[in-house]
Structures are given as structure tokens and as C-alpha cells.
């Protein structure tokens, strides 16, 4: 038996699974369960550590030994054993920030709320769909929001909050540059540089947020600047009016004993999106999209469709790359291989 059935981790569906240190935590609406590797016949130990969880699993964000998340009645920080409100004003004992949030948030859209941590400013960003008591007009059929248009931002270093409003977005990413230009190499005047002194696209260390709704509606949040309809490349250059490119790298696929080499002859997958996608493979632990081999453009034609890719590659493991600039969603992927009889051959 090479699996363990989980039968007692609280009532209801799993909403999120996230690591904290060496432990894995299973979130449900009303509980958190810690999964710890103990070895032996039991393999794993399951322990419910708290009768508090979240329905909004996408709001759970790990950072520096804690989780931030949106709970049923507040926004919390979880340290592995207990959750603490981050909206409580210790000097007055009130929850004004929490009350404001829950007057605006649409509790019927818990699967659309999500979070991220803006490392440059030590901020937790909670993106939420509006439609609470204060924004009740946004719940009507012709006005309702499907994606978040507001974020509650908590600065963990300063202990302050603010709300940020924007057009509806469906996802968030992070950009960390590898800049070709530096402040010392700048030759033109300050006011013509096109970026601020605080720019996260310059130093190669700090990050900037990328907010996206579709390929034609992408925002780079860089300090106080907000640029739209474009993307930032690895040299820190914002290209306006261009679709943001995607690079999706799968996990590594193996066939039983990792020492057995196999010849992967075909990969079937189902996807939907725009016109086409480019597929490649790597037999190593490659993360640079430019180093994937035998890239092939495969037509999608704006449909949900099953397609095949033929790498004809032999190795102990294999991973795949999907890349392009159009819309793309990968639903499943299934490699097919011929396994060699002898290890390492």
C-alpha cells in the first residue's frame, strides 16, 4: 500500500493545502489539520490544530513562517498553532477595518477572493469581490462583479491598512527583474527615465505586482506607478500594448522506479484558450523556457480541445513547457512512454 486515506480532517471539502515549515496544513471552512511526516507504518500524523478555517482558500498566503488568510469573520495570521486577528486595534479594542471590509465584501463569491504578499513593502494584499451592504448595487444581475475590484492591504511592518481600488482582476503575479540597466549606467535626465527611484523593475531584487484580467488588460503595480496593457520582460522593460507572455512548466513525470529510463513517445493534453500554444520538453530540471527542446506550435483555435505532442525523448524523467501570448488554460496532461527493462539503460 503506497497511499494513506484521510478520513478525519474536519467536516466539508478541502479549500486549501499549504506548507508551513516542514508541515502541511489542510484548510477547510471550519478547521485546520496539520499533516506531519513521522515515518513507520503510519507514515503521516494528522492533527486538527484549530476549529477555524476558511472557505476562501485562494486567500491563504504563506510568508516567513506564517499564513495570512480571510476567515469567516475576520482576516487572520496563523503561526502553526493559533490564528490571530490582524484587524484588531489593540489600543481601542475595536475592529473598524474588519467591519469596513465585511460591509463591502460579497460573501457569496468566496471562491473569487484571493491574496498575495507584496514582499517589497511587506504587505498582504487581500483582493475581494464587492457586493456587501455598502455596495449592494453590485449584486444585481446586470451590475454584479465576477472578479475582485478592491484590495484590503495590510502593511505587516508598519501595522497599517489601506484599501486599493481598480478594474476587476482575476489573478495576480510577481515580477522580479534581472535588469540590463542600472542607476549608475543611466545617461539621460531623471525626468525622462520612465521609472521611479523606488521602481521594482530596476534593482533586480525588489518585486512588483502584475495584476491581470485578460491578455489585453494587464497592470504593473510598481511603487506608486500603475501602467496598463503590456508586460515587463526580464530586462525590466515595460512593453506597452503587448500581450503578457505565459510560460507553464509541468511537474516531472516518472514511471515507477526513477532509475528506469523510458522513451516518451506521445503526450496528450486538453486545453482551451486562443489561437495556439507552443509545447516543448526537458529531461533535466530545467526552469528556463528558452532551454526546452523540440518546441512545436499546436493549434487550439479558440476551443476546448484535446491535442497531442510527440517529443520522442528518452530519460529517467521528463517535464513539459507550454508557452505563448494568447489566452491559455491547461485542463490535463497525460504522457505515454515505453519503459526500458534495465535500470539506467
Amino acid at each position: 500500500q503506497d497511499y494513506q486515506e484521510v478520513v478525519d480532517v474536519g467536516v466539508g471539502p478541502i479549500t486549501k493545502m499549504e506548507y508551513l515549515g516542514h508541515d502541511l496544513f489542510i484548510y477547510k471552512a471550519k478547521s485546520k489539520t496539520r499533516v506531519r511526516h513521522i515515518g513507520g507504518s503510519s507514515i503521516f500524523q494528522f492533527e486538527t490544530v484549530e476549529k477555524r478555517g476558511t472557505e476562501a482558500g485562494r486567500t491563504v498566503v504563506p510568508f516567513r513562517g506564517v499564513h495570512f488568510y480571510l476567515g469567516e469573520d475576520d482576516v487572520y495570521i496563523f503561526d502553526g498553532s493559533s490564528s490571530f486577528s490582524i484587524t484588531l486595534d489593540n489600543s481601542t479594542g475595536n475592529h473598524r477595518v474588519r467591519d469596513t471590509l465585511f460591509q463591502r465584501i460579497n460573501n457569496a463569491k468566496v471562491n473569487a477572493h484571493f491574496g498575495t504578499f507584496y514582499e517589497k513593502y511587506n504587505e498582504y494584499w487581500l483582493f475581494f469581490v464587492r457586493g456587501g451592504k455598502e455596495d449592494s448595487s453590485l449584486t444585481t444581475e446586470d451590475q454584479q462583479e465576477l472578479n475582485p475590484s478592491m484590495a484590503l492591504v495590510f502593511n505587516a511592518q508598519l501595522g497599517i491598512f489601506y484599501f486599493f481600488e481598480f478594474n476587476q482582476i482575476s489573478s495576480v503575479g510577481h515580477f522580479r527583474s534581472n535588469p540590463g540597466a542600472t542607476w549608475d549606467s543611466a545617461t539621460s535626465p531623471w525626468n525622462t527615465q520612465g521609472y521611479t527611484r523606488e521602481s521594482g523593475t530596476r534593482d533586480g531584487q525588489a518585486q512588483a505586482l502584475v495584476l491581470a484580467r485578460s491578455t489585453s488588460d494587464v497592470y504593473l503595480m510598481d511603487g506608486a506607478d500603475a501602467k496598463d496593457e503590456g508586460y515587463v520582460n526580464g530586462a525590466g522593460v515595460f512593453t506597452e500594448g503587448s500581450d503578457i507572455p505565459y510560460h507553464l512548466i509541468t511537474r516531472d513525470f516518472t514511471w515507477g522506479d526513477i532509475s528506469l529510463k523510458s522513451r516518451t513517445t506521445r503526450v496528450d493534453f486538453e486545453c482551451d484558450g486562443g489561437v495556439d500554444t507552443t509545447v516543448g520538453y526537458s529531461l533535466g530540471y530545467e526552469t528556463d523556457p528558452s532551454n526546452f527542446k523540440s518546441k512545436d506550435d499546436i493549434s487550439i483555435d479558440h476551443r476546448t480541445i484535446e491535442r497531442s505532442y510527440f517529443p520522442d525523448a528518452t530519460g529517467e524523467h521528463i517535464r513539459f513547457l507550454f508557452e505563448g501570448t494568447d489566452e491559455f488554460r491547461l485542463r490535463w496532461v497525460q504522457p505515454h512512454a515505453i519503459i526500458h527493462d534495465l535500470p539506467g539503460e
Side-chain angles (χ1 to χ4, degrees):
Q1 179 174 325
D2 57 359
Y3 67 91
Q4 184 172 354
E5 185 173 356
V6 179
V7 295
D8 186 18
V9 291
V11 178
I14 293 173
T15 59
K16 182 72 173 183
M17 298 174 68
E18 190 63 69
Y19 282 101
L20 190 57
H22 296 295
D23 298 329
L24 177 69
F25 285 87
I26 300 175
Y27 281 76
K28 292 193 171 187
K30 302 288 187 180
S31 67
K32 299 184 195 72
T33 298
R34 181 177 59 216
V35 183
R36 176 172 292 174
H37 180 258
I38 59 174
S41 59
S42 297
I43 307 176
F44 295 105
Q45 178 189 65
F46 295 84
E47 179 184 1
T48 299
V49 296
E50 193 175 41
K51 296 295 184 180
R52 177 182 284 125
T54 181
E55 290 186 278
R58 296 175 66 198
T59 68
V60 180
V61 176
F63 190 73
R64 294 181 180 174
V66 296
H67 289 171
F68 293 87
Y69 71 96
L70 172 66
E72 182 181 19
D73 57 356
D74 208 338
V75 184
Y76 292 98
I77 186 171
F78 175 62
D79 64 4
S81 58
S82 301
S83 294
F84 306 91
S85 168
I86 64 173
T87 68
L88 174 64
D89 186 335
N90 291 319
S91 63
T92 63
N94 67 49
H95 288 269
R96 287 182 299 174
V97 174
R98 177 201 63 187
D99 296 343
T100 301
L101 171 65
F102 279 88
Q103 286 175 359
R104 310 208 71 166
I105 197 169
N106 186 341
N107 289 318
K109 299 289 185 180
V110 291
N111 291 325
H113 310 322
F114 57 89
T116 193
F117 203 90
Y118 197 170
E119 184 178 351
K120 179 179 179 180
Y121 296 110
N122 288 304
E123 291 177 341
Y124 172 62
W125 285 53
L126 172 61
F127 299 88
F128 62 92
V129 178
R130 293 187 298 167
K133 182 178 180 181
E134 189 171 329
D135 297 307
S136 57
S137 63
L138 297 177
T139 60
T140 60
E141 184 174 351
D142 59 336
Q143 295 290 327
Q144 68 174 326
E145 291 186 350
L146 300 178
N147 297 300
S149 66
M150 185 170 282
L152 170 65
V153 183
F154 170 61
N155 188 298
Q157 183 175 357
L158 301 177
I160 60 175
F161 294 87
Y162 61 93
F163 286 89
F164 195 95
E165 188 173 359
F166 34 73
N167 291 336
Q168 294 183 55
I169 64 168
S170 59
S171 61
V172 61
H174 298 269
F175 168 74
R176 191 186 302 275
S177 69
N178 181 17
T182 65
W183 291 113
D184 291 338
S185 66
T187 57
S188 55
W190 288 104
N191 62 350
T192 62
Q193 293 294 320
Y195 41 80
T196 68
R197 189 176 181 86
E198 291 295 313
S199 175
T201 67
R202 291 294 93 205
D203 54 25
Q205 298 298 322
Q207 63 180 198
L209 292 185
V210 178
L211 313 179
R213 184 183 182 190
S214 69
T215 54
S216 61
D217 191 5
V218 178
Y219 301 87
L220 169 71
M221 297 299 302
D222 185 21
D225 293 342
K227 302 178 182 180
D228 63 2
E229 295 187 357
Y231 72 96
V232 185
N233 64 22
V237 178
F238 188 85
T239 307
E240 295 188 53
S242 299
D243 292 341
I244 189 168
Y246 67 86
H247 305 283
L248 189 158
I249 298 175
T250 70
R251 66 174 178 85
D252 292 308
F253 291 90
T254 61
W255 287 264
D257 189 338
I258 196 171
S259 66
L260 292 176
K261 286 190 176 182
S262 58
R263 179 183 176 187
T264 304
T265 56
R266 188 181 87 243
V267 182
D268 297 330
F269 61 93
E270 183 181 60
C271 64
D272 63 68
V275 177
D276 57 19
T277 187
T278 300
V279 187
Y281 78 88
S282 171
L283 297 176
Y285 299 103
E286 189 59 66
T287 58
D288 185 346
S290 65
N291 292 332
F292 278 70
K293 301 177 180 179
S294 298
K295 292 185 178 180
D296 189 16
D297 295 332
I298 297 178
S299 173
I300 303 174
D301 197 25
H302 299 280
R303 293 180 292 170
T304 299
I305 194 168
E306 293 186 21
R307 283 289 189 244
S308 296
Y309 166 66
F310 302 92
D312 196 18
T314 301
E316 296 174 352
H317 49 79
I318 189 170
R319 61 176 55 178
F320 302 99
L321 165 75
F322 296 83
E323 64 180 4
T325 58
D326 213 338
E327 295 182 47
F328 180 75
R329 286 167 293 276
L330 181 65
R331 296 176 177 268
W332 54 261
V333 57
Q334 178 61 61
H336 301 272
I338 301 172
I339 302 175
H340 288 226
D341 293 332
L342 300 176
E345 302 210 4

